[in-house]
Amino acid sequence: MYGLIGYPLGHSFSEEYFTDKFLKEGIDNSYHLFPIREIRLLPELIGSHPDLMGLNVTIPYKRDVFAFLDSVSRDASAIGAVNVVRIERDKDGAVKGLKGFNSDWIGFMESLKPLLREDIKNALVLGSGGASKAVVYALGRLGVRSTVVSRSTGDGRISYASLDRKIMADNLLIVNTTPLGMWPKVESAPEIPYELITPDHVCYDLVYNPEITEFMKLSSEKGATVKNGLEMLHRQAEVSWKIWNE
């Protein structure tokens, strides 16, 4: 058994993706959504499911889960966020330890590559949560300098209110890592100056439900290239599967 922890989880396609994968590949496993209200419930969840071998982690627990892990991979440690947990058990099924990994950065990086151009040197990363950290890490690996935009400033972050014409022109890649626009609150979007978006911009939204978010709609109306996070979800899911079966 495998699954996803987070809260809420009504937007997630992970169960659908893995169930379809297991059926197509003839794998006798199952994948379930575990919408836990507090991360402190994680040990109880694992204890009540002796067949549980791995978990994906989503909002809002990608950083909080560190407190429950026995070890963390080098990438996840550098990023400061975990979205994959491997549950290591002995031959009798007793839990030996929990190890954390991050597959988000790989999923994002591989899905972004077809959209990159030589003139894209800088990126605005909207949001400062666990997904944001994975995106910043991936952009660094791709040689793109990133600036995090958040409601609060400090630690290198800038505010939404500071996004002026020069900043928007200097950052031709804009990545939304916030849940704004996610089902069911589909009418919301990050508060950026969309009037300064141009056909030279690439606007990538990690949200994949709905297929076309308000952020994508407003950006495409200005001629920008847009993409949602569905391919990222699929790619990180395959990396998760490899991690669980190492």
Side-chain angles (χ1 to χ4, degrees):
M1 181 188 293
Y2 301 89
L4 172 70
I5 61 168
Y7 194 84
L9 294 178
H11 67 281
S12 177
F13 289 174
S14 293
E15 184 175 25
E16 177 183 337
Y17 179 81
F18 275 105
T19 298
D20 185 58
K21 173 184 173 64
F22 294 157
L23 285 172
K24 286 181 177 178
E25 299 181 20
I27 300 171
D28 187 20
N29 289 154
S30 62
Y31 191 100
H32 306 274
L33 302 183
F34 298 111
I36 56 176
R37 289 181 175 269
E38 298 177 25
I39 190 63
R40 65 178 180 82
L41 299 174
L42 178 58
E44 179 182 338
L45 172 69
I46 294 174
S48 62
H49 294 85
D51 294 332
L52 192 59
M53 301 301 293
L55 289 166
N56 287 125
V57 183
T58 191
I59 297 171
Y61 302 134
K62 291 184 180 184
R63 290 181 288 180
D64 295 342
V65 74
F66 273 81
F68 299 86
L69 304 176
D70 298 287
S71 60
V72 180
S73 72
R74 183 173 58 184
D75 290 325
S77 180
I79 292 167
V82 160
N83 77 303
V84 184
V85 174
R86 188 170 68 211
I87 303 169
E88 299 176 336
R89 299 179 182 270
D90 63 22
K91 58 182 177 62
D92 297 317
V95 176
K96 294 193 298 181
L98 304 179
K99 183 166 184 178
F101 302 82
N102 193 296
S103 65
D104 276 340
W105 75 273
I106 302 174
F108 171 73
M109 182 174 68
E110 293 302 320
S111 62
L112 177 67
K113 280 181 179 179
L115 303 180
L116 285 181
R117 307 185 308 263
E118 289 188 5
D119 61 326
I120 297 178
K121 307 294 184 184
N122 305 301
L124 295 177
V125 179
L126 310 181
S128 57
S132 170
K133 294 179 183 298
V135 166
V136 169
Y137 185 78
L139 290 173
R141 296 286 289 260
L142 291 169
V144 177
R145 186 173 61 183
S146 56
T147 300
V148 174
V149 185
S150 178
R151 288 173 294 180
S152 60
T153 57
D155 296 328
R157 301 189 304 271
I158 64 173
S159 69
Y160 286 93
S162 70
L163 298 178
D164 58 20
R165 187 174 299 277
K166 184 178 187 309
I167 291 175
M168 295 293 285
D170 287 345
N171 292 270
L172 295 180
L173 172 62
I174 303 175
V175 184
N176 176 38
T177 73
T178 78
L180 291 170
M182 182 185 293
W183 186 90
K185 298 180 180 180
V186 298
E187 71 287 346
S188 61
E191 295 182 3
I192 65 172
Y194 292 96
E195 68 275 10
L196 299 180
I197 297 288
T198 71
D200 290 330
H201 280 88
V202 172
C203 296
Y204 188 118
D205 201 334
L206 266 60
V207 174
Y208 55 81
N209 184 10
E211 182 179 354
I212 300 176
T213 64
E214 189 69 7
F215 168 74
M216 293 168 62
K217 178 183 175 182
L218 293 171
S219 299
S220 64
E221 287 175 352
K222 298 301 181 181
T225 299
V226 299
K227 185 170 186 173
N228 69 21
L230 188 59
E231 183 185 351
M232 174 182 169
L233 171 73
H234 293 170
R235 287 182 176 272
Q236 71 80 24
E238 289 303 319
V239 177
S240 299
W241 181 245
K242 290 178 182 178
I243 289 170
W244 293 328
N245 288 278
E246 285 179 348

